[in-house]
Amino acid sequence: MAEEEGPTVELRHRKKPKSSENKDPAKEEKVSDTPIPERTPKHVLFQRFAKIFIGCLAAITSGMMYALYLSAYHERKFWFSNRQELEREITFQGDSAIYYSYYKDMLKAPSFERGVYELTHNNKTVSLKTINAVQQMSLYPELIASVLYQATGSNEIIEPVYFYIGIVFGLQGIYVTALFVTSWLMSGTWLAGMLTVAWFIINRVDTTRIEYSIPLRENWALPYFACQVAALTGYLKSNLNTYAEVHEVYKIYIFSLFLGYLLQFENPALLVSPLLSLVTALMLTKCLQLNMKKGTFIAKIMKVINFYLVCALTVTLNVLMKMFVPHKENGHMLKFLEVKFGLNMTKNFTMNWLLCQESLQTPSQDFFLRLTQSSLLPFYILVLTICLLSMMQVIFRRINGKSVKESIALEDGRIGERPEVIYHIIHTVLLGSLAMVIEGLKYIWTPYMCMLAAFGVCSPELWMTLFKWLRLRTVHPILLALILSMAVPTIIGLSLWKEFFPRLMTELTELQEFYDPDTVELMTWIKRQAPLAAVFAGSPQLMGAIKLCTGWMVTSLPVYNDDDLLKRNENIYQIYSKRSAEDIYKILTSYKANYLIVEDAICNEVGTMRGCRVKDLLDVANGHVVCEEGDKLTHSKYGRFCHEVKINYSPYVNYFTRVYWNRSYFVYKINTVISFQS
């Protein structure tokens, strides 16, 4: 069919007007020799369609299967469908309990507007404090989930908790699909997407925390982040004029940041961000740039001047923004980093407690061992090294005045010239550097590793770049690159299937059970025996569970972005220190607390990292142990409060009356009238 159409097209182009006889024969020959673009054959169009269709089907199927896997694993782990509502809610621990409790509050509100108002002017959660819960805890996901639950009529079909966790699991499916698409776009084959998903699921201990805490903010945010990365990858891949098109990305970034500024109740921290100043400086210098012949001495001088101009403008703009925009200085963050890197020491309880959190530690050796066992880390290092070196070659070429090709062919072996590759290499290096300092950031970096490693081993351009450096002569390099781009991921996939697939199936068939009868008994007692106006004091993690399961007011919350709440947490934790009964009583009554809950797990804590137990940190902060050389050992004349109050002798019984206890919790009523006994 294509052969029959060819001559017709050529005859149409060669058709001349009547006056053409008087024209120059040379020009006529030149016109006739111009290549005529032919229509794409139908079988090629069919192949492209089939490739896209199969890839999209694989991407969507991967996301759906992962979401179903999470749902099945969650059911097996918690026996969710066989539990009462209270037992289900107890599975939400710490700050997760707070997020879900506000979702419940929105569903109970008479209207959406009233619910939002009560959250933004909330005085029913923390005693003596009115908070904007939407701003403080980023509750937009809960607002959207509550609207969807009621607007779709799901309240007649499904329970609120299943709808909530179903949305989160669905987002995780979208997350995996976005990673699939990103790797597919970069490599040109959906095989890379399949390998990305396989590595992501196998290394899920290091790629996600969805199994341990469903409502975490990252479980809502990272899927959208992955979709943005996929969209930007497609944009950069289709627009090779990197200098102009990345300029458009800057505009999108500024618009997004302004939108975030409004949605976060005019958060000034976004306006004084150094990154905003950098983007603005880059846009301004782009407007001031002059077109000069590449390679000339003046052009090189202008590049140096441009670099210093960007740096100077960034610093100047940031200083000006901080001068004119009212904001809170991040002094505590700087102090945290100083202590983190050993540049300073502190006895502050809150600072040391945060440093002891696992998510803020440096990654352990087990993390790298797990990634190596799944073959992810070795291939990631290989791909990163090749792309990084190729990118450095491009930079040196541009410094020397050599032009970058408009279109890059496979035989060129220049993977570092592709704009989307440059973007991802810079991104992964920055994320990796941060993850090496703070382990919690591995949940952003490790999925990126899966995507980048899969793209690299499935990309013929990466292998061609390597072969060009090695100057391979024995075998045709293009042919070998094409073979390796199919063979290597296939071998990796088969080995992963053989080793890890049986483990995944075992996890789904293995019966687990989350059993916490002591907490269930405590919540039941509170709902039946405590007055509605009662205020409870205890560890922030337990207070989050009490807020969710009972709705009673508490003295503190597991929220760490508010100075007042952090101070409250430190003061309430004093119940595990060596302080007098009178001191503890004054602290608790200052927050209008009516009941105190002592947790045996904290009071008798063992086995955690040395010096990171709550009672150890309190002793350091209160000066009851040696912290540095030269300090004197100070003995407290009081025993540890959480131990002494259990013995029921004066003066403890004068201030506190035990009203409930089980194996894990001791509940004391804080006396309003103090009767001193001999």
Side-chain angles (χ1 to χ4, degrees):
M1 189 75 178
E3 292 177 0
E4 293 175 4
E5 291 179 355
T8 307
V9 174
E10 192 170 348
L11 286 171
R12 286 177 183 170
H13 278 273
R14 289 186 178 184
K15 188 176 179 180
K16 306 290 189 299
K18 293 180 180 180
S19 59
S20 63
E21 297 175 2
N22 301 326
K23 288 191 177 182
D24 189 358
K27 290 183 179 180
E28 186 177 337
E29 185 179 351
K30 185 176 181 181
V31 171
S32 63
D33 291 340
T34 304
I36 306 300
E38 296 185 355
R39 292 183 184 178
T40 306
K42 287 187 177 179
H43 70 276
V44 175
L45 290 174
F46 178 76
Q47 287 177 354
R48 290 179 183 173
F49 173 78
K51 182 180 178 181
I52 293 173
F53 177 78
I54 294 173
C56 291
L57 185 64
I60 295 170
T61 303
S62 298
M64 292 178 62
M65 292 298 291
Y66 179 60
L68 291 173
Y69 168 80
L70 288 176
S71 179
Y73 181 81
H74 183 262
E75 175 63 26
R76 280 286 180 178
K77 183 177 181 180
F78 295 108
W79 287 69
F80 219 63
S81 59
N82 297 320
R83 293 186 177 276
Q84 299 298 320
E85 183 181 7
L86 178 59
E87 293 176 313
R88 292 174 183 172
E89 291 177 348
I90 286 174
T91 63
F92 297 106
Q93 300 289 320
D95 51 349
S96 296
I98 294 297
Y99 299 131
Y100 184 73
S101 72
Y102 286 123
Y103 167 72
K104 282 181 58 180
D105 291 346
M106 282 297 299
L107 295 180
K108 293 176 183 176
S111 66
F112 177 76
E113 293 78 9
R114 183 62 188 175
V116 172
Y117 178 83
E118 289 179 354
L119 290 187
T120 53
H121 303 78
N122 187 281
N123 59 0
K124 298 179 180 178
T125 300
V126 183
S127 61
L128 302 179
K129 188 175 178 67
T130 300
I131 60 175
N132 183 342
V134 178
Q135 179 185 14
Q136 194 97 31
M137 302 169 199
S138 302
L139 294 181
Y140 283 108
E142 282 66 32
L143 297 182
I144 296 171
S146 64
V147 169
L148 290 176
Y149 182 71
Q150 294 175 330
T152 58
S154 299
N155 51 346
E156 300 176 359
I157 305 171
I158 189 172
E159 295 179 53
V161 65
Y162 280 109
F163 185 83
Y164 185 87
I165 64 176
I167 290 179
V168 181
F169 289 157
L171 284 174
Q172 299 309 300
I174 294 173
Y175 187 15
V176 165
T177 301
L179 292 172
F180 183 111
V181 171
T182 305
S183 189
W184 178 19
L185 285 171
M186 293 181 69
S187 64
T189 171
W190 51 264
L191 189 62
M194 297 293 289
L195 187 56
T196 300
V197 175
W199 265 328
F200 181 92
I201 296 175
I202 289 168
N203 294 284
R204 70 188 185 283
V205 173
D206 302 303
T207 57
T208 179
R209 287 191 287 188
I210 187 71
E211 295 176 8
Y212 310 105
S213 191
I214 293 175
L216 284 180
R217 301 300 84 181
E218 65 195 52
N219 294 332
W220 294 87
L222 288 179
Y224 294 103
F225 171 72
C227 290
Q228 292 171 9
V229 169
L232 185 55
T233 302
Y235 181 78
L236 293 174
K237 185 178 176 66
S238 60
N239 295 275
L240 292 180
N241 185 2
T242 57
Y243 211 72
E245 307 299 341
V246 176
H247 188 66
E248 294 299 320
V249 174
Y250 294 156
K251 296 178 183 177
I252 297 171
Y253 170 78
I254 290 179
F255 172 76
S256 302
L257 189 140
F258 179 70
L259 185 63
Y261 170 75
L262 295 178
L263 290 175
Q264 293 184 27
F265 299 87
E266 300 181 359
N267 184 0
L270 296 176
L271 297 183
V272 298
S273 166
L275 189 56
L276 174 62
S277 302
L278 174 61
V279 171
T280 308
L282 287 168
M283 294 184 69
L284 290 174
T285 51
K286 175 71 171 71
C287 298
L288 298 174
Q289 279 182 349
L290 301 173
N291 291 324
M292 294 189 179
K293 188 176 180 181
K294 294 180 180 180
T296 62
F297 177 75
I298 297 177
K300 293 180 180 179
I301 293 295
M302 288 304 297
K303 285 182 180 178
V304 176
I305 293 174
N306 180 67
F307 174 76
Y308 282 106
L309 185 61
V310 169
C311 295
L313 273 174
T314 301
V315 174
T316 304
L317 288 171
N318 194 247
V319 170
L320 289 174
M321 292 297 287
K322 288 183 176 180
M323 286 175 59
F324 294 103
V325 177
H327 67 287
K328 294 176 71 174
E329 290 290 344
N330 290 328
H332 60 283
M333 181 60 68
L334 294 175
K335 190 170 184 180
F336 171 82
L337 293 174
E338 286 179 2
V339 178
K340 173 75 177 175
F341 292 115
L343 302 176
N344 200 351
M345 292 190 70
T346 181
K347 294 182 180 180
N348 182 270
F349 170 81
T350 300
M351 189 72 67
N352 288 326
W353 185 83
L354 289 173
L355 285 167
C356 283
Q357 299 306 299
E358 185 179 353
S359 59
L360 296 177
Q361 298 288 316
T362 53
S364 63
Q365 292 182 353
D366 292 339
F367 167 64
F368 298 103
L369 182 61
R370 288 191 297 268
L371 298 186
T372 303
Q373 289 174 340
S374 66
S375 74
L376 174 59
L377 186 60
F379 284 106
Y380 170 77
I381 293 173
L382 173 67
V383 173
L384 179 63
T385 303
I386 295 174
C387 291
L388 200 57
L389 291 175
S390 181
M391 196 174 79
M392 297 301 294
Q393 279 186 329
V394 175
I395 294 172
F396 284 123
R397 277 197 204 100
R398 296 200 67 166
I399 290 174
N400 294 328
K402 295 180 181 179
S403 59
V404 178
K405 284 190 173 184
E406 288 289 330
S407 59
I408 306 166
L410 176 59
E411 58 269 16
D412 292 332
R414 295 183 181 179
I415 197 168
E417 285 189 9
R418 289 170 51 183
E420 72 274 19
V421 173
I422 295 172
Y423 162 73
H424 283 293
I425 291 300
I426 294 173
H427 219 169
T428 191
V429 168
L430 290 175
L431 291 175
S433 302
L434 293 172
M436 290 300 100
V437 179
I438 300 175
E439 185 176 9
L441 294 175
K442 72 179 181 181
Y443 298 107
I444 305 177
W445 182 49
T446 312
Y448 226 96
M449 292 174 68
C450 299
M451 180 271 296
L452 198 70
F455 139 72
V457 297
C458 295
S459 173
E461 290 182 51
L462 181 123
W463 298 110
M464 191 63 204
T465 303
L466 178 62
F467 296 153
K468 194 164 185 180
W469 291 340
L470 299 176
R471 297 183 180 179
L472 191 65
R473 303 292 184 189
T474 54
V475 185
H476 197 287
I478 295 180
L479 179 61
L480 186 58
L482 291 170
I483 293 173
L484 287 178
S485 65
M486 295 292 291
V488 172
T490 302
I491 293 171
I492 295 172
L494 291 174
S495 64
L496 293 178
W497 177 278
K498 182 179 179 181
E499 183 175 356
F500 293 98
F501 183 74
R503 299 185 192 178
L504 295 176
M505 292 299 100
T506 302
E507 288 176 354
L508 290 180
T509 56
E510 191 177 45
L511 298 178
Q512 303 181 51
E513 186 171 8
F514 178 83
Y515 187 62
D516 190 1
D518 292 345
T519 305
V520 172
E521 291 173 7
L522 173 65
M523 300 303 168
T524 303
W525 181 87
I526 292 174
K527 294 173 76 171
R528 291 177 179 175
Q529 302 295 329
L532 291 175
V535 178
F536 284 83
S539 71
Q541 289 73 24
L542 181 60
M543 295 302 101
I546 288 176
K547 168 64 177 71
L548 168 61
C549 298
T550 69
W552 263 248
M553 191 174 288
V554 295
T555 56
S556 59
L557 290 174
V559 177
Y560 311 112
N561 59 355
D562 183 272
D563 292 338
D564 179 61
L565 287 176
L566 286 173
K567 188 62 180 176
R568 280 175 176 246
N569 292 346
E570 180 179 353
N571 289 338
I572 299 300
Y573 265 131
Q574 296 296 326
I575 62 177
Y576 302 104
S577 69
K578 297 177 180 179
R579 300 276 295 270
S580 67
E582 184 180 1
D583 287 346
I584 302 299
Y585 180 82
K586 288 180 179 178
I587 290 172
L588 296 175
T589 53
S590 69
Y591 295 121
K592 301 297 182 182
N594 305 115
Y595 291 89
L596 166 66
I597 303 177
V598 175
E599 296 173 65
D600 201 54
I602 300 178
C603 190
N604 299 313
E605 188 177 4
V606 293
T608 58
M609 189 185 305
R610 183 180 178 184
C612 278
R613 297 182 301 180
V614 168
K615 53 188 178 182
D616 295 337
L617 297 174
L618 288 167
D619 289 344
V620 170
N622 296 336
H624 295 155
V625 295
V626 173
C627 180
E628 302 177 29
E629 292 184 8
D631 284 356
K632 293 183 179 179
L633 180 63
T634 305
H635 291 282
S636 174
K637 62 181 181 179
Y638 305 104
R640 198 168 300 281
F641 175 84
C642 62
H643 288 151
E644 301 297 322
V645 74
K646 295 176 185 177
I647 303 176
N648 284 337
Y649 69 92
S650 183
Y652 295 93
V653 293
N654 303 330
Y655 298 100
F656 307 98
T657 302
R658 187 165 66 189
V659 292
Y660 173 81
W661 71 93
N662 59 31
R663 291 175 301 176
S664 302
Y665 304 103
F666 294 81
V667 182
Y668 297 88
K669 188 177 187 303
I670 301 171
N671 299 332
T672 53
V673 178
I674 303 173
S675 59
F676 288 94
Q677 302 175 13
S678 57

